[in-house]
Amino acid sequence: MKKILKIIGIILLILIIIALLVYFLVLRYPNLKKNPTVGKWYRVATNEMKDSEGNGYHALFKKGSENKVLIYFAGGGVSINEETAKDDTYNTKMVWPDMLANVTMNMGGLASDVEGSPFENWSIILFPYATGDFHAGTGEFHYTDKDGKEKILYHNGYVNYTEAMKKITELAGVDNPDAVVVTGYSAGGFGAALLSDDVFTNYFPNAKSKNVLVDASLLLHNDWHTIATDVWQAPKEISDKLTGNNLTLDCLTALHEKYGDGIHLLFDCSTRDGDLAKVQNYFDTGIMDVSEKEADVYQQILKDTIPQFKEINVGLFIWDGVAWYDDPRNMTAHTIIATPAVWLPFEEQNQSVAGWLTDAINGEMKDYGLDLVNKQY
């Protein structure tokens, strides 16, 4: 009898595992079809879409009941040279099954199905991060890995984005929205800055309300143009915008010059972003580490950039009060739009990042927290 019960238990366990796999791989995010169901998430894939290792990649899409679109680029690491290409932990790949996308959608941030969200009934196009190129590459980066093996890192971000956008506009009837928000956090924020013009030029040129929100994406590097052309092989119309050491500023400046008052440009960041301070230190010294000294450097970079942002009418939301993980040093959190904190008003600003964004979409541009860059921590 015990043997029979054991066999039954094993069979039930196998059935449960099969059911979970079917749910996560098939039922939860089925492949996008023509005339998709409103409110349901779909995966969007083609044979040309792949992650940094050459495996399959897919975007995610939800059709909304309103004629409005949120385009959302997820974040991760970045590949700028052979050293970063070798670092598997820093070069994000497609995590099976949809783990990164699930985190982005279900942590309670802008892309989550949060009751009462102003984006609750918008169509959402979400791009998981899996190519190490700020979603902007088209090429193959050849390098030698830590074991001495010749490998290829596929910087396929722009191809993934283009393939998904074409398929969604063809199958889902999302081609002439009233309002569009292009946003992203961390590496995805850089992606939003790099690809917004492509979005509005090639897909949604007639949107009455054009909006770009860059979340926690500010790094200085003297060779952004070379990285974009030689490492990522980004399209020329994208890499040509990169003329200085501030990728985000270059991209937002180009958007301002092209669209003028016809676009709402937004940037948010915490004052002493621990992750960005760490990466900035790597760019400056070759050391991927961070201390209060590096946080001081980052705070100064932010302070110096604010007047430049204001010259091109960028709306700003600077914040603190959220610690960098559990680190006791004086560093602040990295990114906010993927977290529930995006809905919560900050005490000093008496406003939330989501509220600030919503006001901007409606044409009311404001700045919050600018004095925090002068705060002594």
Side-chain angles (χ1 to χ4, degrees):
M1 185 67 178
K2 288 183 179 180
K3 188 175 182 179
I4 293 174
L5 290 174
K6 185 176 180 180
I7 292 172
I8 292 174
I10 293 172
I11 293 172
L12 288 174
L13 180 61
I14 293 172
L15 290 174
I16 290 171
I17 292 172
I18 292 172
L20 288 172
L21 289 174
V22 170
Y23 172 71
F24 278 106
L25 298 179
V26 181
L27 298 180
R28 192 172 193 188
Y29 306 124
N31 290 325
L32 180 64
K33 61 182 181 179
K34 192 170 181 61
N35 300 319
T37 302
V38 171
K40 183 173 181 59
W41 284 98
Y42 295 87
R43 66 175 63 200
V44 186
T46 71
N47 291 334
E48 288 73 27
M49 296 165 72
K50 55 191 173 187
D51 69 9
S52 64
E53 292 189 324
N55 301 315
Y57 173 95
H58 56 266
L60 291 151
F61 170 75
K62 182 183 76 169
K63 180 71 176 288
S65 58
E66 296 185 56
N67 190 31
K68 301 174 181 179
V69 178
L70 174 68
I71 298 175
Y72 193 110
F73 294 98
V78 63
S79 166
I80 63 167
N81 53 29
E82 186 159 359
E83 183 179 16
T84 50
K86 292 178 182 179
D87 192 341
D88 292 339
T89 62
Y90 201 61
N91 216 358
T92 307
K93 301 172 178 62
M94 200 69 176
V95 179
W96 182 91
D98 293 335
M99 186 180 296
L100 294 179
N102 284 336
V103 167
T104 300
M105 290 189 301
N106 299 321
M107 278 179 60
L110 288 183
S112 301
D113 294 327
V114 176
E115 186 176 355
S117 162
F119 306 105
E120 186 175 10
N121 297 313
W122 287 42
S123 293
I124 300 177
I125 303 170
L126 190 150
F127 293 95
Y129 190 59
T131 51
D133 57 5
F134 291 167
H135 298 274
T138 68
E140 300 178 0
F141 183 69
H142 295 254
Y143 69 99
T144 303
D145 71 9
K146 297 174 181 177
D147 298 322
K149 297 179 181 178
E150 296 297 318
K151 295 190 71 173
I152 299 174
L153 195 162
Y154 295 91
H155 289 307
N156 207 56
Y158 182 80
V159 177
N160 295 340
Y161 149 79
T162 302
E163 289 286 305
M165 291 296 292
K166 288 179 179 178
K167 192 166 185 176
I168 289 167
T169 53
E170 289 170 4
L171 295 179
V174 178
D175 55 6
N176 195 27
D178 296 324
V180 175
V181 172
V182 183
T183 191
Y185 63 89
S186 191
F190 289 108
L194 288 162
L195 296 175
S196 289
D197 185 37
D198 194 281
V199 169
F200 295 122
T201 298
N202 295 320
Y203 303 102
F204 305 130
N206 299 319
K208 296 175 183 176
S209 178
K210 298 180 175 71
N211 309 273
V212 179
L213 168 56
V214 175
D215 173 34
S217 309
L218 178 65
L219 290 167
L220 305 185
H221 196 295
N222 289 328
D223 292 322
W224 279 128
H225 183 268
T226 301
I227 292 166
T229 54
D230 296 350
V231 180
W232 306 336
Q233 296 179 40
K236 189 174 186 298
E237 58 269 21
I238 292 176
S239 60
D240 279 353
K241 294 179 174 67
L242 308 181
T243 59
N245 68 346
N246 190 328
L247 183 154
T248 302
L249 180 64
D250 284 345
C251 291
L252 296 187
T253 298
L255 287 166
H256 173 69
E257 291 174 349
K258 180 172 181 176
Y259 296 96
D261 294 336
I263 195 167
H264 303 136
L265 303 175
L266 302 167
F267 174 87
D268 85 84
C269 192
S270 70
T271 51
R272 297 166 64 81
D273 186 311
D275 282 323
L276 292 181
K278 179 188 288 188
V279 178
Q280 187 64 58
N281 188 43
Y282 173 74
F283 287 174
D284 293 341
T285 69
I287 299 171
M288 188 68 75
D289 199 3
V290 66
S291 68
E292 290 192 48
K293 177 184 176 182
E294 283 71 49
D296 290 340
V297 170
Y298 187 80
Q299 186 175 351
Q300 187 64 47
I301 289 172
L302 184 59
K303 181 178 179 177
D304 293 342
T305 307
I306 283 176
Q308 297 173 290
F309 277 146
K310 294 315 301 174
E311 287 181 8
I312 55 173
N313 297 334
V314 175
L316 299 168
F317 197 117
I318 308 302
W319 50 277
D320 64 0
V322 184
W324 186 56
Y325 310 114
D326 294 323
D327 196 294
R329 295 170 293 179
N330 288 322
M331 281 175 270
T332 52
H334 178 54
T335 81
I336 193 170
I337 66 169
T339 74
V342 73
W343 310 107
L344 303 177
F346 286 89
E347 183 176 355
E348 181 165 339
Q349 293 88 339
N350 195 30
Q351 176 63 290
S352 67
V353 170
W356 164 68
L357 171 59
T358 302
D359 285 345
I361 294 169
N362 295 323
E364 189 176 350
M365 298 282 286
K366 291 184 178 180
D367 297 325
Y368 293 93
L370 302 194
D371 290 342
L372 288 175
V373 294
N374 298 313
K375 183 176 176 180
Q376 296 293 317
Y377 289 86

mmCIF file of all heavy atoms in Angstrom, residues 35-58:
data_model
loop_
_atom_site.group_PDB
_atom_site.id
_atom_site.type_symbol
_atom_site.label_atom_id
_atom_site.label_comp_id
_atom_site.label_asym_id
_atom_site.label_seq_id
_atom_site.Cartn_x
_atom_site.Cartn_y
_atom_site.Cartn_z
ATOM 1 N N ASN A 35 -5.728 40.713 -33.555
ATOM 2 C CA ASN A 35 -6.847 41.152 -32.711
ATOM 3 C C ASN A 35 -6.757 40.543 -31.309
ATOM 4 O O ASN A 35 -7.646 39.797 -30.881
ATOM 5 C CB ASN A 35 -8.186 40.795 -33.366
ATOM 6 C CG ASN A 35 -8.349 41.450 -34.719
ATOM 7 O OD1 ASN A 35 -7.991 42.603 -34.906
ATOM 8 N ND2 ASN A 35 -8.874 40.692 -35.688
ATOM 9 N N PRO A 36 -5.712 40.831 -30.575
ATOM 10 C CA PRO A 36 -5.533 40.242 -29.242
ATOM 11 C C PRO A 36 -6.615 40.696 -28.263
ATOM 12 O O PRO A 36 -7.223 41.758 -28.417
ATOM 13 C CB PRO A 36 -4.159 40.770 -28.804
ATOM 14 C CG PRO A 36 -3.994 42.032 -29.586
ATOM 15 C CD PRO A 36 -4.638 41.783 -30.907
ATOM 16 N N THR A 37 -6.827 39.887 -27.248
ATOM 17 C CA THR A 37 -7.809 40.184 -26.211
ATOM 18 C C THR A 37 -7.337 41.367 -25.372
ATOM 19 O O THR A 37 -6.182 41.409 -24.930
ATOM 20 C CB THR A 37 -8.016 38.956 -25.309
ATOM 21 O OG1 THR A 37 -8.452 37.858 -26.124
ATOM 22 C CG2 THR A 37 -9.056 39.248 -24.232
ATOM 23 N N VAL A 38 -8.225 42.292 -25.125
ATOM 24 C CA VAL A 38 -7.894 43.454 -24.302
ATOM 25 C C VAL A 38 -7.593 43.000 -22.874
ATOM 26 O O VAL A 38 -8.305 42.186 -22.294
ATOM 27 C CB VAL A 38 -9.050 44.474 -24.300
ATOM 28 C CG1 VAL A 38 -8.803 45.574 -23.267
ATOM 29 C CG2 VAL A 38 -9.219 45.079 -25.682
ATOM 30 N N GLY A 39 -6.508 43.520 -22.310
ATOM 31 C CA GLY A 39 -6.145 43.224 -20.930
ATOM 32 C C GLY A 39 -5.308 41.989 -20.735
ATOM 33 O O GLY A 39 -4.918 41.682 -19.604
ATOM 34 N N LYS A 40 -4.978 41.254 -21.803
ATOM 35 C CA LYS A 40 -4.202 40.019 -21.681
ATOM 36 C C LYS A 40 -2.777 40.254 -22.183
ATOM 37 O O LYS A 40 -2.561 40.926 -23.183
ATOM 38 C CB LYS A 40 -4.854 38.900 -22.494
ATOM 39 C CG LYS A 40 -4.131 37.562 -22.351
ATOM 40 C CD LYS A 40 -4.895 36.440 -23.024
ATOM 41 C CE LYS A 40 -4.178 35.102 -22.861
ATOM 42 N NZ LYS A 40 -3.990 34.726 -21.456
ATOM 43 N N TRP A 41 -1.816 39.661 -21.473
ATOM 44 C CA TRP A 41 -0.416 39.770 -21.873
ATOM 45 C C TRP A 41 -0.063 38.698 -22.896
ATOM 46 O O TRP A 41 -0.480 37.545 -22.772
ATOM 47 C CB TRP A 41 0.502 39.616 -20.672
ATOM 48 C CG TRP A 41 0.573 40.824 -19.794
ATOM 49 C CD1 TRP A 41 -0.097 41.059 -18.643
ATOM 50 C CD2 TRP A 41 1.393 41.982 -20.001
ATOM 51 N NE1 TRP A 41 0.228 42.280 -18.108
ATOM 52 C CE2 TRP A 41 1.154 42.870 -18.918
ATOM 53 C CE3 TRP A 41 2.309 42.360 -20.996
ATOM 54 C CZ2 TRP A 41 1.786 44.098 -18.817
ATOM 55 C CZ3 TRP A 41 2.953 43.589 -20.886
ATOM 56 C CH2 TRP A 41 2.681 44.438 -19.800
ATOM 57 N N TYR A 42 0.735 39.087 -23.900
ATOM 58 C CA TYR A 42 1.215 38.179 -24.937
ATOM 59 C C TYR A 42 2.724 38.327 -25.085
ATOM 60 O O TYR A 42 3.281 39.393 -24.816
ATOM 61 C CB TYR A 42 0.563 38.502 -26.286
ATOM 62 C CG TYR A 42 -0.929 38.282 -26.337
ATOM 63 C CD1 TYR A 42 -1.808 39.288 -25.938
ATOM 64 C CD2 TYR A 42 -1.458 37.080 -26.786
ATOM 65 C CE1 TYR A 42 -3.181 39.101 -25.985
ATOM 66 C CE2 TYR A 42 -2.832 36.883 -26.845
ATOM 67 C CZ TYR A 42 -3.693 37.892 -26.439
ATOM 68 O OH TYR A 42 -5.052 37.697 -26.477
ATOM 69 N N ARG A 43 3.365 37.259 -25.567
ATOM 70 C CA ARG A 43 4.773 37.365 -25.918
ATOM 71 C C ARG A 43 4.873 37.637 -27.413
ATOM 72 O O ARG A 43 4.052 37.181 -28.207
ATOM 73 C CB ARG A 43 5.548 36.117 -25.521
ATOM 74 C CG ARG A 43 5.168 34.859 -26.274
ATOM 75 C CD ARG A 43 6.084 33.698 -25.894
ATOM 76 N NE ARG A 43 5.949 33.359 -24.477
ATOM 77 C CZ ARG A 43 6.857 32.681 -23.790
ATOM 78 N NH1 ARG A 43 7.958 32.282 -24.369
ATOM 79 N NH2 ARG A 43 6.657 32.385 -22.537
ATOM 80 N N VAL A 44 5.905 38.396 -27.784
ATOM 81 C CA VAL A 44 6.104 38.795 -29.178
ATOM 82 C C VAL A 44 7.501 38.361 -29.595
ATOM 83 O O VAL A 44 8.494 38.820 -29.028
ATOM 84 C CB VAL A 44 5.957 40.323 -29.340
ATOM 85 C CG1 VAL A 44 6.017 40.695 -30.819
ATOM 86 C CG2 VAL A 44 4.676 40.828 -28.691
ATOM 87 N N ALA A 45 7.581 37.458 -30.556
ATOM 88 C CA ALA A 45 8.879 36.916 -30.960
ATOM 89 C C ALA A 45 8.920 36.679 -32.465
ATOM 90 O O ALA A 45 7.890 36.417 -33.095
ATOM 91 C CB ALA A 45 9.158 35.608 -30.222
ATOM 92 N N THR A 46 10.126 36.793 -33.035
ATOM 93 C CA THR A 46 10.382 36.402 -34.420
ATOM 94 C C THR A 46 11.719 35.664 -34.449
ATOM 95 O O THR A 46 12.452 35.655 -33.454
ATOM 96 C CB THR A 46 10.455 37.610 -35.365
ATOM 97 O OG1 THR A 46 11.673 38.331 -35.107
ATOM 98 C CG2 THR A 46 9.253 38.540 -35.197
ATOM 99 N N ASN A 47 12.037 35.085 -35.591
ATOM 100 C CA ASN A 47 13.292 34.339 -35.717
ATOM 101 C C ASN A 47 14.518 35.246 -35.608
ATOM 102 O O ASN A 47 15.612 34.782 -35.286
ATOM 103 C CB ASN A 47 13.330 33.600 -37.055
ATOM 104 C CG ASN A 47 12.324 32.470 -37.114
ATOM 105 O OD1 ASN A 47 11.944 31.915 -36.088
ATOM 106 N ND2 ASN A 47 11.875 32.129 -38.314
ATOM 107 N N GLU A 48 14.348 36.530 -35.875
ATOM 108 C CA GLU A 48 15.475 37.462 -35.831
ATOM 109 C C GLU A 48 15.768 37.967 -34.425
ATOM 110 O O GLU A 48 16.809 38.582 -34.183
ATOM 111 C CB GLU A 48 15.201 38.659 -36.750
ATOM 112 C CG GLU A 48 15.285 38.356 -38.233
ATOM 113 C CD GLU A 48 14.091 37.544 -38.728
ATOM 114 O OE1 GLU A 48 13.004 37.660 -38.112
ATOM 115 O OE2 GLU A 48 14.255 36.796 -39.705
ATOM 116 N N MET A 49 14.873 37.726 -33.490
ATOM 117 C CA MET A 49 15.039 38.241 -32.128
ATOM 118 C C MET A 49 15.855 37.264 -31.288
ATOM 119 O O MET A 49 15.557 36.069 -31.270
ATOM 120 C CB MET A 49 13.666 38.499 -31.500
ATOM 121 C CG MET A 49 12.876 39.577 -32.230
ATOM 122 S SD MET A 49 11.103 39.626 -31.820
ATOM 123 C CE MET A 49 11.166 40.282 -30.147
ATOM 124 N N LYS A 50 16.887 37.769 -30.594
ATOM 125 C CA LYS A 50 17.730 36.886 -29.790
ATOM 126 C C LYS A 50 18.381 37.675 -28.666
ATOM 127 O O LYS A 50 18.503 38.898 -28.719
ATOM 128 C CB LYS A 50 18.791 36.207 -30.645
ATOM 129 C CG LYS A 50 19.665 37.146 -31.454
ATOM 130 C CD LYS A 50 20.508 36.360 -32.462
ATOM 131 C CE LYS A 50 21.258 37.294 -33.390
ATOM 132 N NZ LYS A 50 21.953 36.552 -34.476
ATOM 133 N N ASP A 51 18.835 36.929 -27.644
ATOM 134 C CA ASP A 51 19.517 37.560 -26.521
ATOM 135 C C ASP A 51 21.013 37.585 -26.790
ATOM 136 O O ASP A 51 21.473 37.234 -27.881
ATOM 137 C CB ASP A 51 19.163 36.870 -25.203
ATOM 138 C CG ASP A 51 19.743 35.450 -25.084
ATOM 139 O OD1 ASP A 51 20.556 35.043 -25.943
ATOM 140 O OD2 ASP A 51 19.391 34.760 -24.120
ATOM 141 N N SER A 52 21.796 37.991 -25.783
ATOM 142 C CA SER A 52 23.226 38.187 -25.991
ATOM 143 C C SER A 52 23.978 36.896 -26.305
ATOM 144 O O SER A 52 25.078 36.934 -26.856
ATOM 145 C CB SER A 52 23.851 38.851 -24.762
ATOM 146 O OG SER A 52 23.757 37.999 -23.635
ATOM 147 N N GLU A 53 23.400 35.741 -25.967
ATOM 148 C CA GLU A 53 24.053 34.466 -26.250
ATOM 149 C C GLU A 53 23.552 33.821 -27.532
ATOM 150 O O GLU A 53 23.962 32.715 -27.885
ATOM 151 C CB GLU A 53 23.836 33.507 -25.067
ATOM 152 C CG GLU A 53 24.562 33.955 -23.809
ATOM 153 C CD GLU A 53 24.522 32.893 -22.722
ATOM 154 O OE1 GLU A 53 23.492 32.193 -22.611
ATOM 155 O OE2 GLU A 53 25.510 32.775 -21.990
ATOM 156 N N GLY A 54 22.643 34.500 -28.239
ATOM 157 C CA GLY A 54 22.113 33.957 -29.488
ATOM 158 C C GLY A 54 20.887 33.103 -29.302
ATOM 159 O O GLY A 54 20.397 32.503 -30.272
ATOM 160 N N ASN A 55 20.373 33.021 -28.075
ATOM 161 C CA ASN A 55 19.147 32.270 -27.830
ATOM 162 C C ASN A 55 17.931 33.151 -28.094
ATOM 163 O O ASN A 55 18.040 34.349 -28.316
ATOM 164 C CB ASN A 55 19.126 31.766 -26.385
ATOM 165 C CG ASN A 55 20.308 30.871 -26.070
ATOM 166 O OD1 ASN A 55 20.644 29.990 -26.858
ATOM 167 N ND2 ASN A 55 20.958 31.111 -24.938
ATOM 168 N N GLY A 56 16.752 32.546 -28.045
ATOM 169 C CA GLY A 56 15.534 33.271 -28.356
ATOM 170 C C GLY A 56 15.259 34.421 -27.400
ATOM 171 O O GLY A 56 15.625 34.389 -26.228
ATOM 172 N N TYR A 57 14.605 35.434 -27.917
ATOM 173 C CA TYR A 57 14.204 36.608 -27.134
ATOM 174 C C TYR A 57 12.762 36.933 -27.491
ATOM 175 O O TYR A 57 12.313 36.686 -28.612
ATOM 176 C CB TYR A 57 15.095 37.798 -27.487
ATOM 177 C CG TYR A 57 14.649 39.115 -26.863
ATOM 178 C CD1 TYR A 57 15.188 39.561 -25.660
ATOM 179 C CD2 TYR A 57 13.690 39.914 -27.492
ATOM 180 C CE1 TYR A 57 14.779 40.768 -25.093
ATOM 181 C CE2 TYR A 57 13.279 41.120 -26.931
ATOM 182 C CZ TYR A 57 13.821 41.547 -25.738
ATOM 183 O OH TYR A 57 13.410 42.732 -25.182
ATOM 184 N N HIS A 58 12.031 37.485 -26.546
ATOM 185 C CA HIS A 58 10.687 37.978 -26.862
ATOM 186 C C HIS A 58 10.356 39.202 -26.037
ATOM 187 O O HIS A 58 10.803 39.348 -24.900
ATOM 188 C CB HIS A 58 9.628 36.891 -26.623
ATOM 189 C CG HIS A 58 9.630 36.341 -25.238
ATOM 190 N ND1 HIS A 58 10.328 35.205 -24.895
ATOM 191 C CD2 HIS A 58 9.037 36.762 -24.096
ATOM 192 C CE1 HIS A 58 10.161 34.958 -23.610
ATOM 193 N NE2 HIS A 58 9.386 35.896 -23.095
#
